[in-house]
Structures are given as C-alpha cells and as structure tokens.
Amino acid sequence: MNIDWGTLGEYLKLDHQTLKAMGVTAYTAIISQIIGVVVGLGSASMQRSRNKVARLIAGTYVWLVRGTPLIVQIFFIYYGTNIILGFQLIPRTVTLFGVGLPGAVVGGIAALSINEGAYMSEIIRASINSIDRGQLESAQSLGLRKTVAMRRIIWPQAARVIVPPLGNEFNNMLKSTSLLSFIGINELFNDAQVRYSATFQPVEYFMGVAIIYLALTTVWSFVQAWIERRLSAGYTAARPVENSKTRWATRAMGLKLGAGRAK
Amino acid sequence: MTDTQLSDTNGSSAGMVVATHVEKSYGDLKILRGISMSVATGEVACLIGPSGSGKTTFLRCVNHLEAIDGGRIEVDGRLIGYREGRGGGLQEDSDKNISAKRAEVGFVFQHFNLWPHMSVLDNITEAPRRVRGDSKGDAESAARELLERVGLADKADSYPNHLSGGQKQRVAIARALAMRPKLMLFDEATSALDPEMVGDVLAVMKELARAGMTMIVVTHEMGFARQVADQIVMMDGGEVVEQGPPEQIFDNPQSDRTVKFLEKVL
C-alpha cells in the first residue's frame, strides 16, 4: 500500500489550523441544527394550522427544500439572492452580538438551517400525529383549552418521539457542513482540500478527514445514546424514581415509544 | 323518578341532559337519525344496543367531542358546543365556552386515555389546577381523597404504564370526578378490561350512582344496566328503538329489535 503514514499521522495530530476548521464545522452544525429545529416547529405548526394559506406556504417550503439538492440551495442562497435582489443581501462580514462573522458563514448557516427546517418540519409533524387522538380528547373533555392541551399533554409526549430522529439529523448535519467548503468556508473538508492541493497527497488527507468526521459522529452517537437512555431510564422499573433530581427524567419516561434508534 | 321525563323533551328544563332530534353523519353515512332522550338529575341512563348503533357517537356528542348536524343537546339547561345563531339555527361556540361547558361533564373513555408522561397524581390534578385554578395543595389533597374512594390510595406516585387496565380506568374515573362534574358519561368503560378487572370498575360506578351522580353509561354489561339504571335506552341503526325502566326493557320488551338483541347478549 502506497500510503504516506507519516503525513497522515502528522495531519491527525490536529494542528492549530485543523482544530480551527473543526471548530467551524462544529459551530455551523450546532447553530444550523438549532435554527432548523425552530424553523421546523414553525413550519409544522403551519402545516397543522386551520389556515389554508399557512398550510400552502409550509407545504411548498417543505416540497421545494426536500426536492432539491442541498448544494444547489447553498449556492442559490449565497450567490443567487444577490443577483435576484440586485444588492448584496449577505455582506462580506456580518456582525452579530458583537462577533464578526464572514458573510459566507452566515449564508452557509442560513442555507443549512432552511434545509434542516424542512426535514425537522416533517419529523415534528409525524411525531405529533403519532400521539393517540384520545390523549387530546381526554384533555379537552376535562375542560382544558386546545392550546393548553397541546402544550401540556401533546408536546411533552411528542418531544420524546422526536429525540431519536433528531439525533440522526444532527449526525447528517455534521457531515453536510462539508458542502460549505464550496462557498469558501474554511471548515474541516476545506482544510483538507487546502492541504491536498499543496502536497498532492489526496489519499492521506481525505482518509484523514474521513477519520476526523468519523470521530465527530462517533462522539455524537455516544451523546445521543446517553440522552435516549436518560429519557427512558427505568421505564420498565416497577416504580418510578422518587428522587427529585431525576424527576424530570421520570416524568419523561412514561411513554413507551422511541426507546430505540430510528435507523 | 324515571317515567315522567322519558318521552317528551320539548322545552323541558327538568333534565340534566335533554337531547332533541340529534342527527349526525359521516359523509353519506347517517350515524344518528334523530335521537331524543332526557336524563333527569341524579338519574342513571344506560345506552344499550348492537355495535354500530350510534351509542358511542351519541355519548361523544353530549360532550361535544363530536359536532352534531341537526337537533340540539342541552346539559343542565344550556346548549353544549353551540349557541343560538342570529338566523334561528345553531352556531358552533367558541373554544373557551365549549371548554367551560365540558369542564362540567366528566367523560370516561373505553381506552382510559390517561397521560403516560404524568404520574397518577398529576393526571388527576392537571385539570383542577389549569382549568379551575386550584392551588397545588388543594388539588393534591382532593386527588388523594378520590384515589382513596376508587381504592388506589397507594398509586398516587405511580405512572399509568405501571398500572393494570382496571386500575387505569379507576384513575380515569377519579380524574374526571376531580372536576366535580354535574354529569358523568361512560363510554364502554369496561370493554377493554380483562374479565377479572371488570368488577372493580363496575363497583366504583355503582358507588357513584348510589351517591346520586347523574350518569349516561354506554355498556354491554346487562347485569349492571338492570341493577343500576333508572332508564334503559335501546338503540339500533342510529335510532332509539325503545326506552323505559329496566324491568320493562329486559322483562317485557316491546320491540322485535330489542327482543333480538337481548336474545344475543343475555
């Protein structure tokens, strides 16, 4: 095998440059996932709304985003909007809460968030639909207003169902950030590309970057498993945990669904 | 207290529940074809009849879990789910008004519909606290009394999934009673239970009836109906076939359809 193990080993020591790129990958993924969940909540609510226009808007959004490639969306949002609008929608540097971010990062996060929102919208909608209708009916029969019944009875149960697919989405998100290299964001994959073009050692750097991604997603899968275990901890136990510190977990564990990973 | 309120419902205010010509369809399928009945305060009415006869649908209409297409239903002298429209017809009421009215009516479901993410105590105190604004302390002490009454005092901190079916249904009854309803509706409350659990739930229902609760009970338990009911309403094909005191319906049924139905179930 003609691999320069020395170069690979050196790369995997993660110098300052690579660590920085890893940080960009991590924070773009985390921020995009959080915004995606918020967008998904809004979109799912619109899809469940009585208002026809709201349903149509949300339905079109989900249809468009899920039906087109992410890379096209990233290019369209970062480059296309300037041309359509006739002005620079996303400036070269965006200052948010006193932190200056490159425009590409903001555009990239925007694209990933919009993309993620559509998938989260479907996940959230399906989770709510998975809660038996009788749950809402029993709440309403006791005089709870619909909004209160949704907040107190339906959402807490849906949240438990959402966790496993949400974990998968974030795993995907960590890898999808690599597409941001195409709009010049210096994240992990871009860092590897820069190194490769300086040395023409594709195998070493691309194998290396694959190992780094694998490490990131593996760490996440442990975190995800831990969260899921917390949510279903003691579910099969004869008696719930009485300790007030773990009471939140006990409360959340009443439901049988969602103990296993979705994929 | 039975005979007088049975037949004529026009403008009567004596009934806790007064239903007049209630109609309901799902698409082209007519489920209720003009149901009229009256249940007096303190009375227990049992709805019997073959499956698909519209018993459950009617019961759900009384709590406005189902909208009605025609006729009217009054609970304690006031419309439920609707208000008088300007043109003389009925208009669906606001969610706020419907909820306020529903709070007066307890509903016990065939499949319990307890909330699995809440303890038994929280299941029972949720509505008194959120709807009536009771303090946590008041709601919890009332809930513990109710649990005592249904024989589950030791289950306050359990979760629904740790209970048997019979225990779940008794918690569901306690949860409904916590709102101090004027009227209790039971939708085949024992049909989903193992046979040995049925007795416990029926005992709780009997105790409620003895205490003077107004009840409408959809049931296949003919023994219970004969023993506890003040009036039996026999339904078939979305119509009331026959109604009257249990002795009359069970011992001297007037309608062929009642005779046939009773032959099958007794």
Side-chain angles (χ1 to χ4, degrees):
Chain A
M1 232 180 349
N2 200 5
I3 294 178
D4 180 352
W5 296 104
T7 302
L8 178 60
E10 198 57 35
Y11 174 54
L12 287 179
K13 279 182 187 163
L14 308 178
D15 64 12
H16 177 71
Q17 197 90 25
T18 305
L19 273 179
K20 214 176 137 193
M22 203 185 214
V24 173
T25 291
Y27 85 74
T28 49
I30 292 170
I31 293 173
S32 302
Q33 188 65 50
I34 291 170
I35 300 175
V37 168
V38 174
V39 171
L41 283 169
S43 169
S45 306
M46 284 169 77
Q47 285 195 290
R48 293 177 42 81
S49 148
R50 277 190 184 191
N51 185 326
K52 236 183 188 168
V53 180
R55 282 206 309 271
L56 187 72
I57 292 172
T60 310
Y61 158 64
V62 170
W63 172 67
L64 278 177
V65 169
R66 296 206 314 162
T68 55
L70 175 54
I71 185 69
V72 175
Q73 293 163 17
I74 292 170
F75 274 42
F76 188 84
I77 285 166
Y78 186 56
Y79 298 118
T81 49
N82 296 340
I83 296 161
I84 293 171
L85 296 169
F87 63 89
Q88 188 90 9
L89 179 69
I90 302 163
R92 293 185 69 82
T93 310
V94 180
T95 310
L96 278 175
F97 309 111
V99 183
L101 287 173
V105 169
V106 174
I109 289 176
L112 287 175
S113 304
I114 288 168
N115 181 269
E116 183 57 24
Y119 288 92
M120 283 312 300
S121 177
E122 290 295 280
I123 288 170
I124 292 165
R125 197 165 64 98
S127 302
I128 296 231
N129 288 344
S130 76
I131 306 303
D132 186 80
R133 202 175 158 71
Q135 292 288 310
L136 183 65
E137 286 185 348
S138 64
Q140 289 186 301
S141 79
L142 288 159
L144 268 76
R145 302 278 302 271
K146 176 139 190 220
T147 46
V148 179
M150 287 302 291
R151 181 162 47 85
R152 297 280 307 165
I153 308 301
I154 305 302
W155 281 108
Q157 296 185 54
R160 251 185 67 85
V161 186
I162 288 170
V163 167
L166 173 61
N168 281 337
E169 285 300 302
F170 186 64
N171 174 298
N172 246 327
M173 178 65 84
L174 277 169
K175 295 172 291 180
S176 297
T177 52
S178 61
L179 294 173
L180 299 183
S181 62
F182 288 103
I183 56 171
I185 295 176
N186 191 23
E187 46 64 66
L188 264 178
F189 184 65
N190 192 307
D191 176 67
Q193 270 186 312
V194 168
R195 286 163 195 270
Y196 144 72
S197 45
T199 60
F200 296 103
Q201 289 182 295
V203 174
E204 289 74 9
Y205 286 112
F206 293 133
M207 185 188 277
V209 81
I211 291 169
I212 298 173
Y213 277 114
L214 194 59
L216 288 176
T217 52
T218 304
V219 168
W220 169 248
S221 71
F222 280 115
V223 174
Q224 188 186 343
W226 178 79
I227 293 172
E228 285 173 21
R229 230 185 2 260
R230 280 307 288 252
L231 284 174
S232 59
Y235 175 72
T236 49
R239 296 191 65 82
V241 188
E242 308 287 353
N243 184 336
S244 65
K245 268 187 183 169
T246 53
R247 193 163 159 81
W248 67 270
T250 322
R251 278 168 175 275
M253 84 191 182
L255 194 67
K256 210 162 196 166
L257 291 164
R261 220 85 58 74
K263 259 179 211 166
Chain B
M1 78 205 223
T2 51
D3 303 12
T4 48
Q5 269 99 18
L6 292 186
S7 45
D8 184 16
T9 60
N10 283 344
S12 158
S13 59
M16 175 60 78
V17 179
V18 179
T20 321
H21 302 302
V22 175
E23 288 175 19
K24 169 82 189 171
S25 304
Y26 291 124
D28 290 337
L29 191 63
K30 269 207 169 251
I31 306 292
L32 302 178
R33 303 166 183 268
I35 301 289
S36 296
M37 72 175 75
S38 172
V39 181
T41 305
E43 197 180 48
V44 176
C46 284
L47 305 191
I48 63 168
S51 46
S53 59
K55 310 179 296 287
T56 289
T57 303
F58 175 75
L59 199 72
R60 289 167 61 84
C61 289
V62 175
N63 203 17
H64 195 59
L65 287 173
E66 302 283 349
I68 61 176
D69 301 328
R72 57 194 289 145
I73 300 177
E74 286 179 16
V75 174
D76 200 23
R78 279 170 45 220
L79 281 168
I80 185 159
Y82 299 91
R83 58 196 144 111
E84 310 282 355
R86 256 168 282 160
L90 297 184
Q91 222 182 334
E92 183 149 47
D93 214 338
S94 65
D95 183 46
K96 190 178 166 196
N97 288 344
I98 295 173
S99 298
K101 196 72 185 147
R102 277 185 184 136
E104 303 174 354
V105 183
F107 198 105
V108 177
F109 296 83
Q110 183 178 357
H111 295 289
F112 335 121
N113 295 344
L114 294 178
W115 305 314
H117 61 301
M118 291 184 178
S119 71
V120 163
L121 199 64
D122 291 342
N123 262 275
I124 299 174
T125 57
E126 179 70 13
R129 292 181 63 194
R130 306 277 156 192
V131 178
R132 206 167 46 211
D134 285 8
S135 73
K136 190 172 189 233
D138 287 354
E140 289 191 350
S141 60
R144 286 183 196 281
E145 269 172 46
L146 284 166
L147 282 173
E148 186 91 40
R149 195 170 160 193
V150 298
L152 294 171
D154 57 329
K155 297 293 183 191
D157 298 319
S158 297
Y159 280 74
N161 284 333
H162 297 143
L163 303 179
S164 72
Q167 292 171 332
K168 283 182 194 171
Q169 195 60 296
R170 283 182 282 154
V171 170
I173 293 172
R175 179 173 72 173
L177 291 175
M179 289 303 288
R180 298 184 211 116
K182 298 171 176 170
L183 165 70
M184 286 284 285
L185 308 174
F186 292 85
D187 181 18
E188 303 196 22
T190 58
S191 298
L193 301 179
D194 291 336
E196 75 267 25
M197 307 281 182
V198 170
D200 291 341
V201 172
L202 290 182
V204 169
M205 290 167 68
K206 277 180 202 164
E207 193 265 329
L208 254 186
R210 262 199 301 276
M213 176 63 74
T214 312
M215 294 161 60
I216 303 182
V217 182
V218 171
T219 187
H220 294 293
E221 297 286 337
M222 294 303 149
F224 172 86
R226 180 191 276 270
Q227 196 187 338
V228 178
D230 298 296
Q231 67 162 312
I232 304 284
V233 179
M234 163 72 197
M235 288 178 65
D236 190 16
E239 292 167 327
V240 174
V241 173
E242 193 171 354
Q243 54 188 325
E247 308 81 60
Q248 180 196 315
I249 302 291
F250 289 117
D251 302 332
N252 186 22
Q254 304 298 307
S255 156
D256 284 349
R257 286 198 277 182
T258 311
V259 174
K260 266 194 195 133
F261 172 70
L262 291 175
E263 268 172 11
K264 276 185 202 153
V265 296
L266 287 180

